[in-house]
Amino acid sequence: MKLNIEGLLVYFPYDYIYPEQYSYMLELKRTLDAKGHGVLEMPSGTGKTISLLSLIVAYQREYPLEVTKLIYCSRTVPEIEKVVEELRKLMEFYSKETGEKNNILALALSSRKNLCVHPEVSSLRFGKEVDGKCHSLTASYIRAQRHSNPSLPSCRFYEEFDAMGKQVPLPAGVYNLDDLKDFGRRKGWCPYYLARYSILHANIIVYSYHYLLDPKIADLVSKELSKKSVVVFDEAHNIDNVCIDSMSVNITRRTLDRSQANVETLQNTILKIKETDAAKLKEEYRRLVEGLKEANVARETDIYMSNPVLPDEILQEAVPGSIRTAEHFVGFMKRFLEYLKARLRIHHVVQESAPQFLKDIFEKVCIDRKPLRFCAERLRSLLRTLEIADIADFSAITLISNFATLVSTYSKGFTIIIEPFEDRTPTIANPVLHFSCMDPSIAIKPVFERFQSVIITSGTLSPLDIYPRILDFRPVTVASFTMTLARTCLCPLVVGRGNDQVAMTSKFETREDFAVIRNYGNLLLEMSAIVPDGIVAFFTSYTYMENIVASWYEQGILENVQRNKLIFIETPDAAETSMALEKYQEACENGRGAILLSVARGKVSEGIDFVHHFGRAVIMFGVPYVYTQSRILKARLEYLRDQFQIRENDFLTFDAMRHAAQCVGRAIRGKTDYGLMIFADKRYARADKRGKLPRWIQEHLTDGSLNLTIDETVQLSKHFLRQMAHSIHDISNCNVQCFCQLNLSQEDQLGLSLLTLEQLQSEDMLQKIAQIAHQA
Amino acid sequence: MRHLYVVIDTSRTMEDQDLKPNRLTSTLKLVEYFVEEYFDQNPISQVGIITTKNKRAEKLTDLAGNPKKHIDALKKAKDSTCGGEPSLYNSLSLAMQTLKHMPGHSSREVLIIFSSLTTCDPANIYELVKTLKALKIRVSVIGLSAEVRVCTVLTRETGGSYHVILDESHFRELLMFHVKPPPATSSSECSLIRMGFPQHTIASISDQDAKPSFSQAHLDSTSGGPGLSMGGYFCPQCQAKYTELPVECKVCGLTLVSAPHLARSFHHLFPLEAFQESPLLLHHTERFCEACQGELKDKSVFTCPSCNSVFCVECDLFIHDTLHCCPSCIHSRSAP
């Protein structure tokens, strides 16, 4: 259908639209108009992706000069594929409606591992191996060497692409990863390089967060993307952690040992080259004297996105003399490594700031701040000069040099923690140096600065005001949308007490309490008897889960639960977990019924959807606070308090509640779905916790569903489940013949939560829509 | 003609007391009522009862056309204990064994009253569902606790219905929904069946030779009263005597029915089309109802779509609920 969103003609590829989708597009349009950033929350399963795509594509067509590109960042490969499929549907609709072939080029980009078509390289199992092997076939100096020595192996796909591919742009259309591979095979071109080249002129790019946020990758892939782009971060509730991870460095003794080996190799190579080709090193020296002016010019003319690892000042200066020659630089790195090794040889925990670290290093080994800052650039230049093919081998030394640059560049926002052992195993010495970023805004800052609109969206972003604060940007729209439903298909319940009136909580002081564990067990047991098919239960951590399950076993609770349902447990091992998951789904499918015990923040809580019968109930045992004793977290909390005036407790609660929301949100994946959400901790009933849940959950959390006992929960759940099972049928069943439908019939939803074009244009509906958007 | 197996879950969950006094007693009572109603509406059809517990399925009664036997069995079952888990697979395959031999012109149905949320199956149930579908066995489920996925798929695949009860009165409503047979589908085969229409004869008191005699049906039943009676229905083929109809003759295997029975079954298969409702103002020609000959006073009148006769509201109700055929159509057909 064609919509009119404040004067913008939007093609929407479905006949019906949810009111919240309309309202979402409205807000999005305003954000784009203002050329600002936006934070939008809308529950999953309400068609966020298609609303985003259809509005932005329409905007692109209407104002081709204002918005040239859409960059859609998602988290996983399946999610990327899903976005591309929606896009394809939209494009088909466009060409059907307008009758003309549209000239929009949209493509997905992923790692070499997912895109390689070279028969040998693509058969390698790990991403790193694929990257390394590819590099050894296609690096520029390898190819230069091949001119003199044609017997060296080559990748014919890359050669072909290099010879032909750049002249003709990729024909317009929608390409997912498989399409790219097919196209590559047909033409004999390398799909990976083709995609990387094509994103420069593509209208829509779909790829992973890391291509934009991780400075190492972003520098390679995304720095030339146009300023007039709209960037969308989908499922962005964890974006601050992604930013922090991309800027943090962990150094273990193993890393140091490997870097040591790297340095040795470098030294040998330098000696060899000196004998054969001294001119090359001289040339490099000359280049370094000139400085990194080239990069500076490029940045000034605004062609490239800035790289947080490469601060502005560096560009204006030449590489300092002390590390300009190759031997000196290697010597310098050696000294630096020795120093780090000495620092790791400790018996107590050390925490210090970056300036303290720099002072110490200057006093002990006389390393200045300035050369440290150039470390990363200098190493890159050296590796290029020495023509080392397999970059993967040098990951350790690259890491160290990045660390050196970061530590000397940023005096604020980072902290250094050296721990002699892990907390769990205090007897085994395993020193780690955490160089941890505490300020997520550092990594994302270039993105906000460069692109005219950045949209952060997810199903669970509440409380909305905290994201702009921790990411340090000023949004023009902040909105949360609820689900309009023909029936209340979610039932959040807060269970606070057992039948014996003992409070249920995972509070640290009482979590070992026998009565609490027993009550949790009883809750699970009772629910297993009344909930059909699948139940997913989340614990706050692996250790807590292990303790509880062990004592349930001793108390015989597990045995009783197993009479009702099978039990599967998530473990930190990915293979084991995916096996458990597969069997869990099989059990749900067969009517055997199953319970999956898993952990908030684990793999299950983030990436896996439990549609329909796979998750009829989610039980959240306790409040999933992070492990507060961790030093990194403590440092970060302190930083947040000092820099952003966010109280420690506020942040902890915010973090716990977004994970809880994420966990329980797994059960509802659409309007035809239904599920129970059980929060088993009395603390959820408090206003400060409850208020931080997404609005679409809060709405259904009435006073009647707070602080219940187990018995009350069972009664309410039973009623809810019957009501839901009933209401699915009584719609389709009039009196004579009824076919069991899984979907609610459309007539029923129509006009309430599904709208046709005519209904959309009516006055009172527009008013209703205006109420949906909740301005935070 | 319908062949229906009622599967009653008698697993541990049936002891739940959310239906009073408990699920089992309540269910059995309702099924009793159902059986009565069923034979009232479908006189020449048959019912069998299967119970399932402890991962097994047992036949409580075989397919038969006599309500008494079933009701007796159900009454006895009230005292039985519940335990273990039900098995959908076993119950369905047990029902299937008998149903697949039923002739193609009759319907093959299974109605499951399912209280548990789990089923314990010896093999993959989806294979069985495929077989059921191929055999055109229609499976409907009434759930007593919540929607279970496997039942949803089972009913959707076999074309049955799936409902979950809200309370006891809703339960009864859902059961009554299954009393009415599904309309005949065009795909079912047509075949001729031999039937006997015996007349009820009573030996006159004046006839001195007349002696009370046993009915064939009583011969093998251990219970029951004296069983001797003066009158009865005599099979037109072999003269065996029965006191009740409909029945299948024990001697020659002929189906014995009475004409009203047949008529009652017939109308379910070919339901009378709904009459068109229209405001009275449009009808200037007809001032009287075709059926009761009364003057049309109400705001709307009903027109038969095939013969265009006009009826009043009350007659429309009477025709659809009781007569099941349009009097005016029949009239025009019989007198050409």
Side-chain angles (χ1 to χ4, degrees):
Chain A
M1 84 173 121
K2 291 183 210 166
L3 302 167
N4 180 0
I5 311 255
E6 288 188 343
L8 178 72
L9 177 70
V10 175
Y11 287 85
F12 191 75
Y14 298 98
D15 290 341
Y16 303 99
I17 185 169
Y18 296 140
E20 59 267 32
Q21 283 180 317
Y22 184 81
S23 152
Y24 187 91
M25 288 199 234
L26 218 59
E27 291 296 332
L28 195 60
K29 159 101 181 359
R30 288 173 190 160
T31 317
L32 296 186
D33 280 343
K35 296 202 169 61
H37 311 313
V39 178
L40 302 171
E41 177 187 57
M42 185 155 92
S44 43
T46 47
K48 216 168 23 212
T49 311
I50 191 66
S51 322
L52 265 169
L53 290 175
S54 37
L55 187 100
I56 296 176
V57 169
Y59 205 91
Q60 260 183 340
R61 287 172 64 97
E62 188 70 28
Y63 310 106
L65 295 176
E66 302 286 312
V67 171
T68 51
K69 205 184 277 280
L70 163 63
I71 305 170
Y72 196 106
C73 302
S74 204
R75 273 193 321 200
T76 58
V77 173
E79 273 170 24
I80 291 174
E81 298 272 350
K82 238 167 25 194
V83 174
V84 177
E85 283 321 302
E86 289 281 3
L87 196 58
R88 193 188 304 274
K89 217 177 277 167
L90 179 67
M91 288 304 155
E92 272 163 20
F93 185 72
Y94 259 106
S95 50
K96 205 179 84 192
E97 285 293 306
T98 56
E100 60 197 54
K101 256 184 73 86
N102 52 57
N103 44 10
I104 282 185
L105 173 63
L107 56 93
L109 177 63
S110 182
S111 63
R112 288 187 177 87
K113 169 151 188 8
N114 293 322
L115 277 173
C116 187
V117 289
H118 191 275
E120 282 165 39
V121 181
S122 61
S123 60
L124 292 170
R125 268 190 45 227
F126 298 104
K128 260 192 187 159
E129 287 175 7
V130 176
D131 288 353
K133 184 86 182 167
C134 178
H135 200 87
S136 70
L137 290 175
T138 59
S140 55
Y141 40 82
I142 297 277
R143 295 177 58 229
Q145 277 174 24
R146 200 174 301 122
H147 282 300
S148 50
N149 182 7
S151 65
L152 286 171
S154 72
C155 171
R156 68 187 163 87
F157 294 102
Y158 182 78
E159 296 300 329
E160 196 78 3
F161 167 70
D162 197 48
M164 324 270 286
K166 287 187 181 167
Q167 291 148 15
V168 199
L170 195 62
V174 179
Y175 297 86
N176 64 12
L177 299 179
D178 284 336
D179 295 337
L180 281 172
K181 275 195 197 173
D182 280 349
F183 186 80
R185 276 203 197 97
R186 219 170 41 237
K187 292 266 187 182
W189 295 349
C190 172
Y192 175 74
Y193 282 100
L194 178 67
R196 259 182 60 179
Y197 174 72
S198 301
I199 61 171
L200 296 181
H201 58 264
N203 304 79
I204 299 168
I205 312 164
V206 186
Y207 58 28
S208 144
Y209 281 13
H210 298 284
Y211 287 96
L212 214 49
L213 292 182
D214 196 329
K216 290 149 251 162
I217 314 175
D219 204 35
L220 285 175
V221 179
S222 311
K223 69 175 175 187
E224 287 175 58
L225 294 180
S226 145
K227 209 171 152 49
K228 288 177 179 167
S229 305
V230 177
V231 179
V232 175
F233 289 103
D234 198 359
E235 304 288 329
H237 45 270
N238 266 344
I239 195 165
D240 53 324
N241 291 337
V242 176
C243 293
I244 283 177
D245 286 348
S246 71
M247 294 295 280
S248 299
V249 179
N250 291 331
I251 297 171
T252 58
R253 196 167 270 169
R254 221 176 100 97
T255 329
L256 289 181
D257 289 342
R258 281 177 40 211
S259 328
Q260 191 82 37
N262 288 160
V263 170
E264 307 272 291
T265 333
L266 283 179
Q267 200 166 15
N268 293 339
T269 330
I270 290 169
L271 279 178
K272 220 183 286 165
I273 285 207
K274 222 173 183 181
E275 282 163 19
T276 55
D277 194 1
K280 206 183 248 172
L281 287 174
K282 282 218 185 87
E283 166 66 16
E284 190 201 18
Y285 185 86
R286 197 190 54 75
R287 217 170 49 223
L288 293 173
V289 174
E290 297 244 319
L292 303 162
K293 277 193 191 128
E294 266 171 65
N296 191 26
V297 169
R299 188 176 287 182
E300 269 171 4
T301 52
D302 216 25
I303 302 171
Y304 295 159
M305 184 168 86
S306 60
N307 180 353
V309 182
L310 193 66
D312 276 333
E313 305 90 74
I314 289 190
L315 298 176
Q316 278 142 26
E317 297 170 46
V319 173
S322 56
I323 56 169
R324 229 176 268 167
T325 54
E327 294 103 324
H328 289 172
F329 177 63
V330 169
F332 173 84
M333 283 312 280
K334 266 188 175 166
R335 229 162 2 139
F336 185 56
L337 280 176
E338 281 309 319
Y339 171 73
L340 286 179
K341 265 192 188 162
R343 289 304 303 267
L344 281 184
R345 232 172 277 131
I346 47 159
H347 299 288
H348 58 275
V349 179
V350 175
Q351 179 176 353
E352 59 187 15
S353 66
Q356 272 172 318
F357 181 83
L358 288 176
K359 187 160 172 275
D360 190 62
I361 198 170
F362 183 68
E363 279 168 5
K364 291 219 173 101
V365 284
C366 296
I367 288 183
D368 217 354
R369 182 169 171 216
K370 203 171 166 200
L372 270 182
R373 289 172 85 175
F374 286 89
C375 237
E377 252 335 277
R378 182 66 190 89
L379 180 73
R380 209 169 299 158
S381 155
L382 183 66
L383 288 177
R384 230 175 7 235
T385 317
L386 296 183
E387 304 186 344
I388 287 162
D390 207 349
I391 294 272
D393 276 349
F394 285 87
S395 61
I397 188 81
T398 319
L399 189 76
I400 299 284
S401 70
N402 279 342
F403 165 65
T405 305
L406 285 172
V407 80
S408 50
T409 307
Y410 293 98
S411 53
K412 263 195 337 192
F414 288 85
T415 193
I416 296 165
I417 294 169
I418 308 174
E419 286 179 317
F421 43 73
E422 277 182 61
D423 275 342
R424 265 182 231 152
T425 52
T427 47
I428 305 165
N430 179 24
V432 185
L433 186 147
H434 300 283
F435 177 65
S436 109
C437 172
M438 294 179 302
D439 189 351
S441 65
I442 294 175
I444 206 169
K445 202 170 173 195
V447 177
F448 281 122
E449 276 176 358
R450 173 153 185 91
F451 299 111
Q452 70 179 36
S453 283
V454 177
I455 313 289
I456 289 181
T457 184
S458 172
T460 49
L461 280 179
S462 294
L464 290 168
D465 56 328
I466 208 157
Y467 283 89
R469 276 163 81 189
I470 57 176
L471 296 179
D472 196 22
F473 71 104
R474 195 162 294 133
V476 293
T477 32
V478 176
S480 166
F481 305 89
T482 54
M483 245 198 291
T484 44
L485 294 167
R487 52 173 193 161
T488 45
C489 68
L490 49 123
C491 177
L493 300 170
V494 175
V495 191
R497 295 163 289 154
N499 288 335
D500 48 5
Q501 301 301 324
V502 175
M504 254 197 238
T505 174
S506 69
K507 218 191 238 163
F508 189 72
E509 299 85 55
T510 55
R511 62 166 53 174
E512 303 295 323
D513 192 343
F514 191 70
V516 171
I517 296 179
R518 192 189 52 222
N519 274 333
Y520 273 153
N522 282 341
L523 177 66
L524 186 69
L525 179 59
E526 294 287 337
M527 295 314 289
S528 73
I530 59 158
V531 176
D533 302 326
I535 299 179
V536 191
F538 288 100
F539 293 85
T540 53
S541 67
Y542 281 113
T543 34
Y544 188 49
M545 176 164 82
E546 273 164 31
N547 286 345
I548 285 205
V549 170
S551 60
W552 281 351
Y553 178 74
E554 279 161 23
Q555 293 170 25
I557 290 174
L558 275 197
E559 200 183 327
N560 285 333
V561 172
Q562 267 180 317
R563 270 206 261 160
N564 297 324
K565 288 188 192 304
L566 304 180
I567 297 177
F568 297 93
I569 299 184
E570 183 193 5
T571 62
D573 183 346
E576 257 175 28
T577 304
S578 62
M579 178 80 169
L581 210 66
E582 195 182 300
K583 292 290 164 201
Y584 167 81
Q585 289 177 337
E586 197 181 320
C588 294
E589 194 70 44
N590 281 329
R592 174 62 259 187
I595 296 176
L596 184 67
L597 304 180
S598 49
V599 171
R601 295 159 199 281
K603 179 174 172 247
V604 170
S605 73
E606 280 292 330
I608 289 152
D609 292 349
F610 295 96
V611 277
H612 296 297
H613 55 291
F614 293 132
R616 281 294 178 221
V618 179
I619 308 176
M620 184 75 235
F621 289 113
V623 184
Y625 280 115
V626 274
Y627 175 61
T628 46
Q629 302 304 309
S630 139
R631 290 184 189 84
I632 300 175
L633 180 73
K634 277 183 179 163
R636 189 174 168 203
L637 289 176
E638 221 165 83
Y639 184 82
L640 284 173
R641 194 188 56 207
D642 296 347
Q643 293 297 315
F644 299 116
Q645 286 79 48
I646 297 172
R647 272 184 298 152
E648 289 164 12
N649 223 357
D650 277 354
F651 182 78
L652 285 176
T653 315
F654 151 74
D655 187 62
M657 293 315 283
R658 73 171 161 184
H659 279 103
Q662 199 44 226
C663 291
V664 296
R666 298 286 105 197
I668 306 277
R669 306 316 284 180
K671 295 199 174 188
T672 54
D673 205 349
Y674 66 88
L676 285 161
M677 299 174 166
I678 295 170
F679 297 95
D681 195 309
K682 67 164 189 188
R683 289 176 288 174
Y684 283 109
R686 282 194 220 147
D688 68 318
K689 305 273 186 308
R690 198 155 35 111
K692 288 195 168 70
L693 283 172
R695 190 157 154 255
W696 55 277
I697 296 180
Q698 250 183 73
E699 231 176 23
H700 297 278
L701 200 61
T702 54
D703 286 342
S705 49
L706 295 178
N707 204 16
L708 306 165
T709 63
I710 294 178
D711 269 351
E712 287 162 349
T713 313
V714 168
Q715 287 312 320
L716 283 173
S717 313
K718 258 187 180 175
H719 182 75
F720 171 76
L721 288 169
R722 280 196 179 147
Q723 203 74 45
M724 283 300 116
H726 175 69
S727 60
I728 285 181
H729 304 295
D730 68 346
I731 295 158
S732 49
N733 140 38
C734 290
N735 31 28
V736 191
Q737 178 72 323
C738 108
F739 283 99
C740 175
Q741 280 181 320
L742 260 181
N743 296 339
L744 290 169
S745 68
Q746 277 186 341
E747 296 88 64
D748 193 63
Q749 287 196 330
L750 214 60
L752 194 58
S753 63
L754 260 183
L755 302 177
T756 58
L757 193 54
E758 294 84 64
Q759 283 167 324
L760 199 58
Q761 279 154 354
S762 70
E763 270 302 309
D764 56 329
M765 193 49 84
L766 287 176
Q767 271 177 5
K768 257 193 220 166
I769 286 170
Q771 287 165 7
I772 290 171
H774 163 81
Q775 298 291 339
Chain B
M1 278 176 88
R2 301 173 72 188
H3 292 104
L4 171 73
Y5 261 115
V6 181
V7 177
I8 302 173
D9 176 357
T10 53
S11 65
R12 184 159 38 90
T13 51
M14 285 301 265
E15 282 163 357
D16 203 321
Q17 296 184 342
D18 54 357
L19 300 175
K20 301 297 170 200
N22 66 10
R23 282 187 186 176
L24 181 71
T25 323
S26 171
T27 306
L28 289 177
K29 199 179 265 165
L30 284 172
V31 173
E32 245 174 65
Y33 178 67
F34 169 76
V35 169
E36 271 172 40
E37 284 291 303
Y38 177 85
F39 283 111
D40 191 52
Q41 292 291 313
N42 314 282
I44 51 173
S45 303
Q46 294 184 334
V47 155
I49 298 170
I50 292 174
T51 58
T52 170
K53 65 177 171 188
N54 288 331
K55 300 163 193 165
R56 291 200 190 91
E58 278 169 29
K59 240 182 229 172
L60 201 64
T61 54
D62 277 319
L63 273 185
N66 194 332
K68 259 189 199 155
K69 226 170 84 186
H70 300 301
I71 289 171
D72 286 344
L74 284 171
K75 280 200 171 118
K76 257 184 233 160
K78 268 178 200 165
D79 304 328
S80 66
T81 51
C82 304
E85 283 181 271
S87 171
L88 274 183
Y89 187 95
N90 287 341
S91 348
L92 284 172
S93 55
L94 187 65
M96 191 176 76
Q97 274 166 19
T98 321
L99 285 179
K100 70 179 171 194
H101 299 300
M102 289 302 139
H105 58 77
S106 65
S107 75
R108 303 163 179 175
E109 294 169 68
V110 178
L111 171 65
I112 302 175
I113 296 170
F114 199 57
S115 150
S116 172
L117 293 171
T118 59
T119 154
C120 193
D121 299 335
N124 188 355
I125 192 157
Y126 291 97
E127 295 297 317
L128 187 72
V129 171
K130 268 184 219 153
T131 329
L132 289 171
K133 199 178 170 188
L135 288 170
K136 294 202 184 82
I137 295 177
R138 201 184 131 171
V139 185
S140 300
V141 180
I142 296 178
L144 299 192
S145 27
E147 185 199 353
V148 181
R149 171 69 180 181
V150 72
C151 298
T152 317
V153 176
L154 175 66
T155 50
R156 193 179 52 205
E157 288 297 308
T158 58
S161 64
Y162 183 27
H163 296 281
V164 175
I165 64 160
L166 290 176
D167 49 29
E168 196 161 346
S169 63
H170 186 231
F171 188 12
R172 176 188 291 254
E173 207 175 283
L174 290 177
L175 263 179
M176 288 315 119
F177 173 77
H178 288 278
V179 166
K180 278 189 179 176
T185 46
S186 50
S187 62
S188 62
E189 329 167 5
C190 296
S191 57
L192 292 170
I193 325 162
R194 283 173 71 92
M195 278 190 184
F197 295 91
Q199 273 193 323
H200 192 251
T201 48
I202 299 174
S204 59
I205 307 295
S206 57
D207 190 349
Q208 293 299 313
D209 295 336
K211 294 182 192 89
S213 57
F214 286 106
S215 147
Q216 286 288 332
H218 282 108
L219 286 181
D220 48 344
S221 70
T222 50
S223 67
L228 284 166
S229 61
M230 295 289 281
Y233 300 96
F234 294 90
C235 172
Q237 215 165 224
C238 61
Q239 297 301 321
K241 183 182 130 176
Y242 296 93
T243 47
E244 277 174 338
L245 287 185
V247 77
E248 191 171 294
C249 178
K250 285 242 161 62
V251 182
C252 60
L254 190 68
T255 314
L256 303 179
V257 289
S258 68
H261 285 149
L262 206 56
R264 257 189 285 168
S265 316
F266 181 79
H267 75 254
H268 287 301
L269 298 177
F270 307 101
L272 183 62
E273 275 178 79
F275 290 175
Q276 285 153 0
E277 190 177 347
S278 50
L280 179 64
L281 298 174
L282 294 180
H283 292 270
H284 299 293
T285 51
E286 309 273 343
R287 302 300 301 168
F288 298 98
C289 168
E290 198 77 22
C292 61
Q293 301 299 322
E295 197 179 341
L296 293 167
K297 288 173 196 153
D298 300 316
K299 273 188 193 142
S300 50
V301 294
F302 296 85
T303 320
C304 171
S306 57
C307 66
N308 290 327
S309 312
V310 183
F311 299 95
C312 64
V313 185
E314 274 166 38
C315 291
D316 174 64
L317 283 178
F318 179 71
I319 288 167
H320 278 98
D321 292 350
T322 320
L323 280 183
H324 302 292
C325 57
C326 169
S328 153
C329 288
I330 288 192
H331 189 255
S332 59
R333 213 182 296 153
S334 56

